[in-house]
């Protein structure tokens, strides 16, 4: 069976590393040459996401199509949506259309009855309207944001006025203004929904960000059991509402024992990388099993695990710390083979099979 994946970054790489031992052929498609996925042996098509004819050819040469990247052009996703009646395409392209547009996403959450930050859709036309959300705000570009890119914090009316001065240079920019939630914790749920509608879920993982980029994940999250169950229920309801198949990541803020849904990713998620070394089954293997029509595993019993991202900042130093920790077999290094180390670029991660109490202080220096 041939699996085709749009995108060829580290998520595709880690999918490929699970697909091949399971006996599936792996094909990736992206505009990038010499990608992380190609590096581990994925057959790669190098072509633009906008090219419907190339996408069509790729689709017909594979048995099932999936994604490792959600920012595929809307027109391509709409084409794939029309093809999903005759081709196996998982997750449904509609879940990507929703996830890549923060307004559609937030409205979908509200429709399901979930609490979210208050928000306002800012366009040139709505920029004259008085906004009732109290400061501070985070203003996010409506589409194509990741790792906090395209986000601006606005403390007061003066900040907002200066933001507006440059906000509509092209005239058609769109933003989502969100109230800042003064959360106590961030958590996420990684789940996999199978073709029979069953869901496999690891339970909540706790996440810490630095400069808006994920830094550390702690599994299991240190939250009350009831909150964990609520998060699982909300994420499952979201997956059901999308008729989702595959692995997804759902991000929450925890404030005063309440859950605010932030966003979801229609693909394996950075906060699920700990599952590679949680002594159970990884989010990538679950994704491959789900999209290829297998039944869900019945026994998923992950052990406490930590994940630390390794960024391009001071990469050589981080690498030598990470390698020095490998003398202890509870550490597992995963590098993506990216060509160039840039500030803020995710180059790899280090997992630790154990707890914060057991981990070396050097782990935090990465
Ligand atoms: P990523 O792709 O890394 O998940 P993103 O660019 O899509 O990020 P968000 O996840 O919405 O954007 O925001 C990144 C981080 O910024 C959040 O994890 C959180 O730490 C902070 N943040 C975003 N929105 C809010 C909010 N409304 N209130 C408080 N903090 C927020
Ligand atoms: Mg996020």
């Amino acid at each position: 069976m041939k699996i085709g994946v749009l995108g060829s970054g580290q998520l595709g790489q880690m999918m490929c590393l699970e697909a091949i031992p399971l006996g599936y052929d792996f094909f990736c498609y992206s505009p990038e040459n010499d990608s992380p996925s190609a590096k581990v042996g994925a057959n790669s098509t190098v072509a633009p996401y906008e090219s419907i004819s190339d996408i069509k050819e790729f689709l017909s040469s594979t048995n099932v199509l999936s994604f490792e990247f959600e920012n595929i052009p809307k027109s391509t996703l709409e084409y794939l949506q029309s093809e999903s009646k005759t081709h196996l395409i998982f997750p449904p392209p509609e879940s990507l259309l929703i996830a890549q547009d923060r307004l559609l996403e937030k409205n979908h959450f509200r429709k399901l009855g979930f609490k979210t930050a208050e928000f306002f859709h800012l366009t040139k036309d709505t920029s004259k309207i008085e906004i009732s959300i109290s400061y501070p705000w985070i203003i996010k570009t409506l589409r194509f944001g990741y790792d906090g890119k395209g986000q601006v914090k606005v403390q007061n009316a003066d900040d907002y006025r200066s933001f507006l001065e440059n906000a509509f240079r092209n005239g058609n920019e769109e933003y989502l203004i969100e109230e800042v939630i003064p959360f106590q914790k961030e958590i996420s749920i990684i789940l996999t929904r199978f073709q029979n509608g069953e869901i496999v879920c690891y339970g909540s993982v706790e996440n810490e960000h630095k400069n808006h980029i994920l830094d550390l994940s702690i599994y299991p999250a240190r939250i009350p059991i009831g909150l964990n169950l609520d998060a699982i229920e909300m994420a499952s309801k979201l997956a059901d509402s999308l008729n989702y198949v595959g692995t997804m990541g759902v991000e929450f803020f925890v404030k005063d024992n309440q859950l605010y849904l932030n966003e979801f990713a229609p693909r394996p998620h950075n906060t699920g990388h700990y599952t590679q070394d949680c002594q159970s089954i990884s989010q990538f293997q679950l994704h491959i099993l789900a999209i290829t029509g297998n039944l869900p595993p019945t026994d998923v019993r992950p052990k406490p695990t930590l994940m630390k991202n390794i960024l391009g900042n001071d990469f050589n130093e981080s690498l030598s710390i990470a390698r020095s920790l490998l003398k202890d077999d509870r550490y597992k290094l995963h590098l993506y083979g990216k060509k160039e180390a840039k500030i803020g670029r995710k180059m790899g991660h280090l997992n630790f099979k154990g707890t914060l109490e057991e981990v070396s202080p050097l782990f935090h220096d990465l």
Side-chain angles (χ1 to χ4, degrees):
M1 190 172 189
K2 291 180 179 172
I3 299 172
V5 165
L6 298 191
S8 65
Q10 65 263 26
L11 301 176
Q13 176 183 84
M14 293 183 270
M15 284 182 197
C16 180
L17 290 171
E18 297 279 9
I20 290 171
L22 291 170
Y24 299 113
D25 291 327
F26 196 91
F27 294 74
C28 66
Y29 179 115
S30 84
E32 202 191 331
N33 255 313
D34 194 19
S35 65
S37 303
K39 271 217 159 92
V40 298
N43 302 283
S44 80
T45 297
V46 178
Y49 293 124
E50 290 77 13
S51 167
I52 301 292
S53 59
D54 287 307
I55 294 274
K56 189 174 180 178
E57 197 179 321
F58 186 71
L59 181 64
S60 60
S61 68
T62 55
N63 303 105
V64 58
L65 186 83
S66 190
F67 309 89
E68 66 102 56
F69 171 70
E70 65 267 38
N71 289 330
I72 308 282
K74 199 173 162 196
S75 51
T76 301
L77 289 175
E78 283 165 352
Y79 164 72
L80 291 173
Q81 211 173 8
S82 68
E83 289 295 315
S84 50
K85 290 167 201 85
T86 47
H87 284 90
L88 297 177
I89 304 179
F90 299 125
E94 196 199 352
S95 31
L96 283 86
L97 285 167
I98 294 175
Q100 67 174 216
D101 180 317
R102 295 188 193 276
L103 183 65
L104 289 180
E105 187 182 37
K106 285 268 189 318
N107 282 331
H108 189 81
F109 294 166
R110 288 279 176 105
K111 206 173 67 196
L112 293 171
F114 302 147
K115 222 194 260 310
T116 69
E118 292 298 326
F119 59 91
F120 178 84
H121 181 205
L122 177 66
T123 62
K124 197 165 189 195
D125 289 344
T126 65
S127 63
K128 313 272 176 320
I129 297 174
E130 178 115 13
I131 299 168
S132 61
I133 303 169
S134 48
Y135 292 107
W137 302 340
I138 293 184
I139 304 184
K140 304 178 181 180
T141 50
L142 200 68
R143 295 188 188 85
F144 303 139
Y146 67 97
D147 292 344
K149 289 190 174 60
Q151 298 192 10
V152 184
K153 197 143 180 199
V154 167
Q155 301 287 359
N156 49 45
D158 283 345
D159 278 3
Y160 183 46
R161 262 191 298 276
S162 10
F163 173 83
L164 287 177
E165 278 168 22
N166 293 310
F168 299 104
R169 286 197 170 165
N170 302 324
N172 54 0
E173 290 91 338
E174 293 183 70
Y175 304 90
L176 203 72
I177 296 181
E178 288 183 24
E179 72 172 312
V180 171
I181 304 284
F183 55 77
Q184 282 96 34
K185 266 188 205 304
E186 288 190 79
I187 62 162
S188 55
I189 290 286
I190 306 298
L191 66 72
T192 309
R193 192 168 179 277
F194 283 71
Q195 292 179 27
N196 65 2
E198 276 184 53
I199 287 174
V200 174
C201 178
Y202 304 93
S204 310
V205 56
E206 186 176 329
N207 307 307
E208 291 177 7
H209 292 76
K210 267 190 196 157
N211 304 320
H212 299 272
I213 303 177
L214 179 68
D215 176 49
L216 174 69
S217 292
I218 304 161
Y219 178 84
R222 298 161 299 174
I223 55 168
I225 292 173
L227 214 54
N228 179 40
L229 294 176
D230 288 348
I232 295 173
E233 194 183 314
M234 287 164 76
S236 304
K237 199 167 159 188
L238 172 64
D240 286 341
S241 74
L242 299 165
N243 205 13
Y244 198 87
V245 172
T247 295
M248 77 194 291
V250 187
E251 302 175 9
F252 300 87
F253 302 133
V254 181
K255 185 183 147 250
D256 304 333
N257 223 24
Q258 300 217 18
L259 292 171
Y260 292 75
L261 207 47
N262 176 33
E263 60 171 2
F264 79 100
R267 50 171 171 75
H269 195 240
N270 194 172
T271 67
H273 289 1
Y274 77 90
T275 62
Q276 291 176 305
D277 298 297
C278 70
Q279 299 167 67
S280 176
I281 186 166
S282 80
Q283 61 165 348
F284 301 101
Q285 185 169 147
L286 286 176
H287 185 74
I288 298 296
L289 291 173
I291 64 169
T292 49
N294 292 281
L295 286 174
T298 48
D299 237 4
V300 179
R301 283 180 288 177
K303 302 269 190 337
T305 315
L306 308 177
M307 192 270 338
K308 179 90 176 166
N309 265 341
I310 300 174
L311 302 184
N313 334 1
D314 304 321
F315 180 55
N316 288 332
E317 201 179 315
S318 296
L319 197 53
S320 72
I321 295 173
R323 286 188 176 140
S324 76
L325 289 169
L326 296 179
K327 62 181 183 293
D328 178 337
D329 67 1
R330 291 172 296 175
Y331 293 92
K332 186 84 190 292
L333 181 58
H334 301 265
L335 293 180
Y336 312 141
K338 290 188 182 174
K339 279 173 276 188
E340 208 187 328
K342 285 193 191 158
I343 289 178
R345 177 174 281 177
K346 291 172 179 170
M347 303 300 287
H349 59 277
L350 184 69
N351 283 342
F352 175 69
K353 298 173 201 177
T355 63
L356 274 180
E357 290 69 39
E358 295 161 341
V359 78
S360 159
L362 284 176
F363 185 77
H364 299 289
D365 292 342
L366 290 175

